[in-house]
Amino acid sequence: MRTPQGISAARVKAFTPENVAKFFDIYEPLLTKVNHNPHRVYNVDETGITTVQHKYRTVIGMKGKKQVASLTSSERGNLIRIVTCMNAAGTYVPPLFVKPSADDPALLILDGHFSHTKNIDVVDKARENHVDVICLPPHLTHKMQPLDVGFMGPFKTYYANEIETWLASNPGHESSLIC
């Protein structure tokens, strides 16, 4: 048995061979520019997590029992934004300190959020400092954003598991989890 994952109509319509090919038509020459060096290809992504977990471990319940519950830290938590940047070789970058040069340029892959694409000052500054910026196509990050699939998803799962473990080990102390 599998639980289906919700996906918007815009994402379904956008994930076409043509849209993916357009991205790679731009990406491949830039990859050549950095000599296909995985240490020079960076990816940035952000996500939000709350102090209340949204994923729960699977449990075995009594036959005929209609509800199975799991303790949470509170009903509503605070939203925390996390920004991650790493290169294709797996090196994590302290908040966006990348040191490229004309002889050793870098490629930065972002999602297509308007704060990235409409901030011409950032794009110009990146170009001046030998960083090419490429944005993933709109509505395709669920399939093409490496950090969503390889880092943020597992991070959120482990985070929720740690909250559950802490709650089970510290009964009556739910409020101390809230940031």
Side-chain angles (χ1 to χ4, degrees):
M1 296 289 291
R2 302 269 321 254
T3 302
Q5 180 180 353
I7 185 168
S8 71
R11 287 181 180 230
V12 171
K13 290 177 186 175
F15 195 64
T16 64
E18 295 80 19
N19 285 341
V20 173
K22 284 178 192 175
F23 170 78
F24 281 101
D25 287 345
I26 297 167
Y27 175 70
E28 288 181 4
L30 294 173
L31 195 56
T32 300
K33 186 176 178 179
V34 296
N35 297 319
H36 294 269
N37 183 346
H39 292 279
R40 304 311 296 161
V41 179
Y42 292 87
N43 183 222
V44 174
D45 194 21
E46 80 286 335
T47 192
I49 60 169
T50 65
T51 54
V52 177
Q53 74 272 32
H54 293 278
K55 294 183 178 187
Y56 302 94
R57 296 179 192 163
T58 303
V59 297
I60 298 173
M62 297 287 291
K63 186 174 181 177
K65 183 123 172 143
K66 294 186 185 214
Q67 291 184 335
V68 177
S70 180
L71 183 64
T72 64
S73 56
S74 63
E75 292 199 19
R76 283 184 280 164
N78 297 322
L79 180 66
I80 300 167
R81 299 300 299 171
I82 296 173
V83 177
T84 303
C85 180
M86 64 185 285
N87 66 20
T91 303
Y92 294 89
V93 178
L96 298 180
F97 292 113
V98 180
K99 296 182 179 180
S101 66
D103 295 331
D104 195 17
L107 172 58
L108 181 61
I109 304 167
L110 303 171
D111 64 28
H113 193 269
F114 76 91
S115 64
H116 306 147
T117 58
K118 301 293 184 200
N119 194 337
I120 200 68
D121 292 336
V122 171
V123 174
D124 287 343
K125 183 63 85 174
R127 286 183 182 149
E128 289 170 17
N129 289 285
H130 315 289
V131 177
D132 286 304
V133 177
I134 184 173
C135 291
L136 293 164
H139 309 295
L140 299 185
T141 57
H142 69 294
K143 294 285 188 185
M144 295 180 66
Q145 172 52 279
L147 286 173
D148 272 355
V149 176
F151 183 84
M152 297 298 192
F155 171 78
K156 287 180 177 183
T157 299
Y158 290 123
Y159 175 75
N161 288 343
E162 286 303 312
I163 290 175
E164 275 190 53
T165 299
W166 190 90
L167 287 170
S169 301
N170 298 277
H173 291 90
E174 302 85 24
S175 63
S176 62
L177 267 180
I178 299 172
C179 296

